[in-house]
Structures are given as C-alpha cells and as structure tokens.
Amino acid sequence: MELTASYRYVDENNNLVFTKHRYEGIEDGKRKKTFRIEPKLDESTPRPLYNLPEVIASDTVVFVEGCKDVETLRSMGFCGTTTFAGSSGLWMADYSRYLTNKNVVIIPDNDSPGRKYAETIKSGLAGYAKSVKVVNL
C-alpha cells in the first residue's frame, strides 16, 4: 500500500489533534484503501470535524463522506467538511455548535450508508443550522 494523502485534523484554534493517512494499492487484483491515524487515538482524543477552522469561518458548509472529497471541494472554492470516519462516523453533539446559523449542504454517496449519513447530519443540525439541504446525486 502506498501513502497517497495525509489529512490534518485540527481543533478550532488550528492546533493539530491527529493526522489521518490514506494508503491505496492493489491487493488480490482489487483496488483497496486503508487509513492510519497518528498519533493513535484513545477515548479521550477529540474527533473534530475535518477542516474545522474554515467551517467556523464560513457561512455555507458542504458535508461529504471523506477528506478526499473535502479537498476536492476546497480546490473548487467551497468550504467542505466531514466527520472523522465519513459515513460510518458518529455525529457528536459538539459538532452542532460549530454549524449554528450556517447554511449546510449535504452531498451523500448514493448508497445506503450515504443516505443514513445525510439523515444523521440533518437530524444533528435541527435547531442549529440556518438551513440544511441534502443534494442526492
């Protein structure tokens, strides 16, 4: 497996919490990806939203299912974010406060975990976000 990207998760003051490394390669004839976290996380380690300082500074935030997609959005001039483990990540109550009075767009993957992810985010933002739109592709 080859290291293809490293994603820095930082707190609201831009202090590094951990780095998520993405590895990709071919195993048994199939394209695979895996992730490693440094330093290793324990139960007390915060799991901030990816790209948190930009999320805090933006009026409109787009949720997608992974850091790679966030970086694609950023390269197009949008503020993107994702939870720690994408569609399998839990919504933490702390996330809602960072999205208070913001316009939120959710672009889930077109599968069952993606739809569940979108509903989890939408539910977590009820009463916090200015608006929430789910865009199904």
Side-chain angles (χ1 to χ4, degrees), residues 104-107 131-135:
V104 177
V105 178
I106 306 165
I107 305 176
S131 68
V132 178
K133 304 282 185 206
V134 176
V135 177

Side-chain angles (χ1 to χ4, degrees), residues 1 5 7 18-23 34-39:
M1 300 292 266
Y7 306 107
F18 58 86
T19 303
K20 185 176 185 179
H21 301 287
R22 179 185 178 113
Y23 294 84
T34 187
F35 298 92
R36 293 188 193 136
I37 309 297
E38 290 180 3

Side-chain angles (χ1 to χ4, degrees), residues 9-10 47-52 55 63 81-83 95 98-99:
Y9 279 74
V10 298
R47 269 82 169 166
L49 290 170
Y50 182 63
N51 193 28
L52 183 56
V55 167
F63 268 89
T81 193
T82 190
T83 56
Y95 295 160
Y98 296 117
L99 296 151

Side-chain angles (χ1 to χ4, degrees), residues 2-62:
E2 177 183 338
L3 176 65
T4 57
S6 293
Y7 306 107
R8 293 172 36 93
Y9 279 74
V10 298
D11 66 16
E12 58 269 15
N13 297 311
N14 210 30
N15 297 311
L16 181 65
V17 178
F18 58 86
T19 303
K20 185 176 185 179
H21 301 287
R22 179 185 178 113
Y23 294 84
E24 295 181 71
I26 304 293
E27 288 183 6
D28 301 324
K30 295 181 182 176
R31 187 155 192 77
K32 303 271 184 172
K33 66 179 175 183
T34 187
F35 298 92
R36 293 188 193 136
I37 309 297
E38 290 180 3
K40 291 190 177 193
L41 306 181
D42 61 31
E43 291 180 16
S44 68
T45 307
R47 269 82 169 166
L49 290 170
Y50 182 63
N51 193 28
L52 183 56
E54 192 173 316
V55 167
I56 292 168
S58 297
D59 292 326
T60 301
V61 178
V62 182

